[in-house]
Amino acid sequence: MNPSPCPACLNLDYSLFKTAKELDIENGKTLWPDYNLLARYRVADFSAIRNAASQGCRCCDILIRGCKLFWGHWLEKRPPKYKVGNKLGLQLNPGQCLQAFLAGGTGSGLDMFATKLQIEFFTEMNQEPIHPAFQHVHHVPRSLPGIAAAQALQSWLRQCVNTHPNCKASVVQLPARILDISTNTPRLVEFQPYESPCAKYATLSHCWGDPQAKRWTWRGYRQVKGPTQTTKQTLQSRKIGIPLRELTPLFKDAIQLCKHVGCGYIWIDSMCIIQDDESDWKVESQKMAAIYSNAYFNIAATSCPDGSYRLFRKRWSLGEKGSSTRRFLKSYKLKALPVGSGVVCVRQAHSRDHKYVGRHMQNGRQEQAPLMSRAWVFQELLLSPRTIHFSSSELIWECNSLLTCECESFNLDGINRIEYKQQFTGARGSGRSTQEIYDFWLHTCERYSNLDLTIPSDRPTALAGLADAVRSVTSS
């Protein structure tokens, strides 16, 4: 006869955990409106986990020690009558490591998340897991140097170009105006219509930033500067050369990344469109869909709210109080009991960045993935054949065939970004009925309507490329 499972953690047995829908029914309200159909959950009192650990449950022992490393001050100082944080939520997905989050409530159900910080328990690649819940995942460095980003990009590019039939990598003519970064001094080059040479080029998706915002520096609060721009006055000097001191940190990193992978051109909207020339903006903005569609790869500054932030920096995640705190990535090793039986690692979970990119999650998006809230970027990312996301906690890769990341635990159930991109590719190709294309377009408009625009009148233009693609198929 099999022994009864631990009453607190249920031995981290996936079959004994509940689905999100079952938890919603139990609580009488919707806690997970966007279900991950394969995920299962367990909500347990911290007191029960402590008791089970003291009585010899090795899983509860790992859980309570890991939680103390990240939430010890919260667990110790929380008033006894304060419901938020009196429970631990556990999430299991087949083939993935265990994730945990603070929760609150009464009875056996879940009342609310107490924190946006989630942690995950895993096993390093060179170790044997002590339990199926502690799956293998890849190590993600705490900081990202430019060379490491370039190596990851080159690897994904090579895999995409050589093994993905749905990801074409043809060399096309350069845009009529683009940045030449093949020398030490970048410069803006212009070509006559249909006379552009054929070469690979990159694009950049980025947030311009709020001109009214201020950012804290060691010298105090400073006004946020907008991106480096080309105007009527600076156009000719841009063609001669652009001093590096005039470029934002974000633009410098994007150019450095391109150089590391041997790409000599990059298209950046604020520098390749004359910003104070309305006629030039009208002409060039209509070309943006083709520019992003034909790019070799796109760089997405997913976690950067403006150009003063860098691509190459320390990794972080949202802290206990959401937007008011950020915590740099940390990872700890926990020796399982009995001593010598194995090691379990614990770190901040990367799942939030996965959901921002893969499932368009909105909770906390403005703080952790502001780029995903921008209407212009919606079209850019969908049209780009290959994109590397610089998220807050790791690099994420998306193309028409693959959605992956540094930790290699990207696994989202249901409709996600890669399926949506494939729907778009299918809508542009043959073999789809008119009704299927219209369904795709309706879904697109619903998503697009929830995104932000600095200038409301730009809304039709920012979706024009997708509209033209659908119109060309339906001929209406």
Side-chain angles (χ1 to χ4, degrees):
M1 185 175 181
N2 293 327
S4 299
C6 169
C9 71
L10 300 181
N11 292 354
L12 302 183
D13 187 336
Y14 175 82
S15 65
L16 299 179
F17 279 33
K18 296 181 179 180
T19 66
K21 190 171 185 178
E22 288 172 336
L23 279 179
D24 284 354
I25 294 173
E26 186 174 287
N27 282 272
K29 59 183 177 181
T30 300
L31 297 168
W32 283 277
D34 187 17
Y35 291 135
N36 180 340
L37 299 180
L38 295 180
R40 289 179 175 267
Y41 301 87
R42 168 65 176 166
V43 181
D45 289 324
F46 268 105
S47 58
I49 295 176
R50 288 193 188 95
N51 292 337
S54 65
Q55 294 174 14
C57 177
R58 64 193 311 216
C59 291
C60 285
D61 176 71
I62 290 291
L63 292 176
I64 203 68
R65 285 194 283 147
C67 290
K68 284 182 177 179
L69 290 171
F70 287 93
W71 298 313
H73 60 291
W74 178 280
L75 300 177
E76 293 170 2
K77 297 180 180 179
R78 182 185 59 81
K81 295 183 179 180
Y82 192 44
K83 295 180 182 178
V84 178
N86 65 342
K87 293 176 181 291
L88 179 66
L90 303 173
Q91 176 181 331
L92 279 174
N93 280 280
Q96 292 188 294
C97 59
L98 174 73
Q99 295 193 6
F101 50 88
L102 286 181
T106 58
S108 61
L110 179 64
D111 183 51
M112 67 176 71
F113 290 109
T115 174
K116 292 184 179 179
L117 172 64
Q118 299 182 17
I119 60 177
E120 58 188 13
F121 295 83
F122 65 98
T123 304
E124 292 183 322
M125 299 301 293
N126 59 348
Q127 300 285 332
E128 282 297 321
I130 67 167
H131 188 284
F134 307 131
Q135 290 283 328
H136 286 118
V137 298
H138 286 265
H139 172 69
V140 177
R142 296 183 182 181
S143 61
L144 177 66
I147 293 296
Q151 290 174 344
L153 174 58
Q154 284 179 321
S155 176
W156 282 325
L157 282 172
R158 192 180 306 113
Q159 179 185 5
C160 179
V161 172
N162 294 335
T163 65
H164 295 167
N166 295 329
C167 302
K168 298 179 181 179
S170 56
V171 178
V172 298
Q173 282 190 315
L174 293 173
R177 190 184 293 136
I178 195 168
L179 290 170
D180 181 351
I181 56 175
S182 59
T183 62
N184 292 331
T185 303
R187 66 187 182 94
L188 192 65
V189 294
E190 286 186 311
F191 304 102
Q192 294 299 319
Y194 308 108
E195 294 183 5
S196 303
C198 291
K200 295 177 180 178
Y201 67 92
T203 52
L204 176 67
S205 293
H206 65 109
C207 292
W208 283 46
D210 182 358
Q212 305 300 321
K214 291 185 178 181
R215 181 187 176 197
W216 173 257
T217 69
W218 65 278
R219 292 182 177 178
Y221 283 100
R222 292 289 184 267
Q223 197 75 31
V224 171
K225 294 183 178 180
T228 310
Q229 301 181 28
T230 296
T231 62
K232 294 177 183 178
Q233 183 178 358
T234 61
L235 178 60
Q236 296 306 316
S237 64
R238 294 274 190 261
K239 295 179 182 180
I240 298 172
I242 306 170
L244 294 179
R245 66 177 179 273
E246 295 186 14
L247 297 173
T248 63
L250 173 58
F251 287 5
K252 290 178 185 178
D253 283 355
I255 290 173
Q256 182 183 344
L257 179 67
C258 290
K259 287 186 173 183
H260 280 322
V261 298
C263 185
Y265 297 92
I266 185 171
W267 192 91
I268 303 176
D269 54 0
S270 65
M271 300 194 68
C272 296
I273 299 177
I274 304 173
Q275 297 302 312
D276 57 354
D277 188 332
E278 185 176 352
S279 61
D280 186 76
W281 186 88
K282 286 182 178 179
V283 172
E284 296 301 320
S285 64
Q286 295 297 323
K287 301 177 183 178
M288 289 177 64
I291 290 172
Y292 280 91
S293 295
N294 293 324
Y296 186 45
F297 64 90
N298 181 46
I299 302 168
T302 307
S303 64
C304 300
D306 57 67
S308 64
Y309 289 76
R310 300 194 58 188
L311 299 178
F312 313 137
R313 57 179 177 171
K314 290 183 177 180
R315 267 71 179 273
W316 58 274
S317 65
L318 290 181
E320 292 87 343
K321 297 181 182 179
S323 59
S324 62
T325 57
R326 290 183 178 182
R327 295 185 63 163
F328 291 120
L329 292 193
K330 292 183 178 180
S331 180
Y332 302 94
K333 293 183 178 181
L334 306 172
K335 294 182 179 179
L337 298 178
V339 176
S341 60
V343 174
V344 177
C345 298
V346 59
R347 69 183 180 193
Q348 290 106 313
H350 296 275
S351 58
R352 294 190 70 87
D353 277 320
H354 295 174
K355 293 174 183 176
Y356 293 133
V357 174
R359 297 183 69 87
H360 304 275
M361 186 176 75
Q362 297 184 34
N363 181 28
R365 180 175 64 183
Q366 196 63 45
E367 298 90 13
Q368 192 165 340
L371 186 73
M372 303 305 293
S373 68
R374 306 305 301 172
W376 275 103
V377 174
F378 180 84
Q379 173 177 263
E380 296 168 7
L381 297 181
L382 197 55
L383 290 170
S384 299
R386 287 164 287 275
T387 295
I388 181 170
H389 289 267
F390 285 78
S391 71
S392 64
S393 62
E394 64 175 341
L395 295 173
I396 296 176
W397 170 266
E398 68 165 289
C399 63
N400 293 330
S401 305
L402 180 66
L403 189 61
T404 188
C405 59
E406 283 183 86
C407 72
E408 296 191 7
S409 62
F410 211 126
N411 182 21
L412 295 170
D413 184 41
I415 296 295
N416 58 48
R417 184 164 194 87
I418 185 63
E419 293 178 1
Y420 187 58
K421 282 178 73 77
Q422 289 174 351
Q423 286 178 4
F424 174 61
T425 303
R428 299 170 76 183
S430 58
R432 291 294 181 105
S433 68
T434 302
Q435 186 59 51
E436 287 177 316
I437 296 173
Y438 284 151
D439 289 343
F440 165 81
W441 180 245
L442 177 62
H443 189 197
T444 296
C445 291
E446 289 175 349
R447 286 189 174 184
Y448 182 72
S449 63
N450 293 322
L451 302 175
D452 301 329
L453 274 169
T454 303
I455 304 175
S457 60
D458 285 350
R459 191 164 292 277
T461 308
L463 195 63
L466 296 181
D468 288 342
V470 173
R471 187 184 300 113
S472 65
V473 178
T474 59
S475 300
S476 60

